[in-house]
Amino acid sequence: GNSVTQMEGPVTLSEEAFLTINCTYTATGYPSLFWYVQYPGEGLQLLLKATKADDKGSNKGFEATYRKETTSFHLEKGSVQVSDSAVYFCALSESYGGSQGNLIFGKGTKLSVKP
Amino acid sequence: EAGVAQSPRYKIIEKRQSVAFWCNPISGHATLYWYQQILGQGPKLLIQFQNNGVVDDSQLPKDRFSAERLKGVDSTLKIQPAKLEDSAVYLCASSFRRTLSTDTQYFGPGTRLTVL
């Protein structure tokens, strides 16, 4: 079945460091790919998404490119801030059949940014 | 625009008791999802509704879990009887359409259930 694998955390960085969180997926069909973020004490919210191969999603300085050849959707940010401390989830959306639209999530990566 | 509302935010019960969670999706959203998020894991889908019909409940433990979405708006998720392993955060999400996997799902704050 479809699945998402993302790098284990926690990840601890200093402010202004470069961030990469790896995400790979296994899927049939043509899923859409998402990064959701969960800030402390808050609900899940969409960070960015990409709906087809080679699309780049971006938001708040974060970027991720849908790479079909490597089945990856790695999250990057050039300079992290303390306010980026959160748990980040990679997810795919099933693209066909009775499960269409259902999200399959990775286990999440906790990011802590130190001043 | 109001977001997805859920209540209660926290619930503590003893095993074998029953519990119910309520969700009010974003106005106009046709599709509603319930997810279970166990500590340290990503959310896992339990059930998907489109309007008031069930689209996918293949991962819902139907011997103890039930859900309904009357009138295609609010939804309730019930657990009866609860087990220790049901301790988790129960998330409700909604999206405008279902027919496209590209649609964004908007999540509520969740209900944290502790079963003692």
Side-chain angles (χ1 to χ4, degrees):
Chain A
N2 295 349
S3 65
V4 173
T5 302
Q6 63 181 102
M7 65 186 283
E8 299 278 331
V11 174
T12 302
L13 297 173
S14 297
E15 209 165 22
E16 299 184 3
F18 184 85
L19 169 71
T20 300
I21 300 178
N22 291 337
C23 172
T24 57
Y25 68 90
T26 301
T28 52
Y30 302 94
S32 296
L33 300 174
F34 302 80
W35 278 100
Y36 278 84
V37 59
Q38 191 167 37
Y39 297 103
E42 299 185 17
L44 277 168
Q45 55 185 273
L46 179 70
L47 180 60
L48 55 83
K49 71 179 186 182
T51 59
K52 60 183 186 296
D54 300 325
D55 265 4
K56 178 186 284 188
S58 61
N59 185 26
K60 300 182 181 180
F62 291 88
E63 293 183 340
T65 301
Y66 188 164
R67 301 285 188 201
K68 190 170 175 61
E69 63 275 14
T70 55
T71 62
S72 65
F73 192 55
H74 304 321
L75 182 68
E76 296 182 335
K77 186 175 185 182
S79 176
V80 294
Q81 305 301 311
V82 172
S83 57
D84 294 326
S85 297
V87 181
Y88 292 81
F89 292 92
C90 185
L92 69 81
S93 178
E94 309 245 32
S95 60
Y96 73 99
S99 300
Q100 187 181 44
N102 295 347
L103 288 174
I104 296 175
F105 286 87
K107 291 186 176 181
T109 303
K110 183 175 182 180
L111 170 67
S112 295
V113 181
K114 308 294 186 185
Chain B
E1 179 181 77
V4 177
Q6 290 188 247
S7 68
R9 292 295 308 275
Y10 304 91
K11 190 74 177 178
I12 300 174
I13 62 173
E14 307 241 332
K15 60 183 179 184
R16 291 188 289 273
Q17 286 187 323
S18 62
V19 64
F21 313 126
W22 173 82
C23 172
N24 182 235
I26 293 173
S27 178
H29 279 196
T31 309
L32 185 147
Y33 305 82
W34 283 101
Y35 290 86
Q36 180 193 58
Q37 185 177 15
I38 293 173
L39 186 65
Q41 299 183 20
K44 186 186 82 170
L45 180 80
L46 292 174
I47 189 167
Q48 180 193 147
F49 292 94
Q50 186 176 21
N51 297 313
N52 61 347
V54 175
V55 171
D56 184 359
D57 63 357
S58 58
Q59 298 184 78
L60 187 73
K62 299 181 188 63
D63 57 333
R64 297 184 301 107
F65 286 64
S66 64
E68 60 182 8
R69 189 183 183 197
L70 299 176
K71 301 180 182 178
V73 182
D74 294 8
S75 177
T76 56
L77 176 69
K78 297 179 181 177
I79 307 175
Q80 183 179 16
K83 293 185 175 181
L84 296 177
E85 58 261 36
D86 297 333
S87 293
V89 176
Y90 290 85
L91 297 167
C92 179
S94 69
S95 64
F96 183 59
R97 303 167 295 185
R98 181 240 171 192
T99 53
L100 294 178
S101 64
T102 55
D103 265 17
T104 296
Q105 292 183 27
Y106 297 87
F107 284 80
T111 297
R112 182 176 297 277
L113 173 66
T114 302
V115 182
L116 302 176

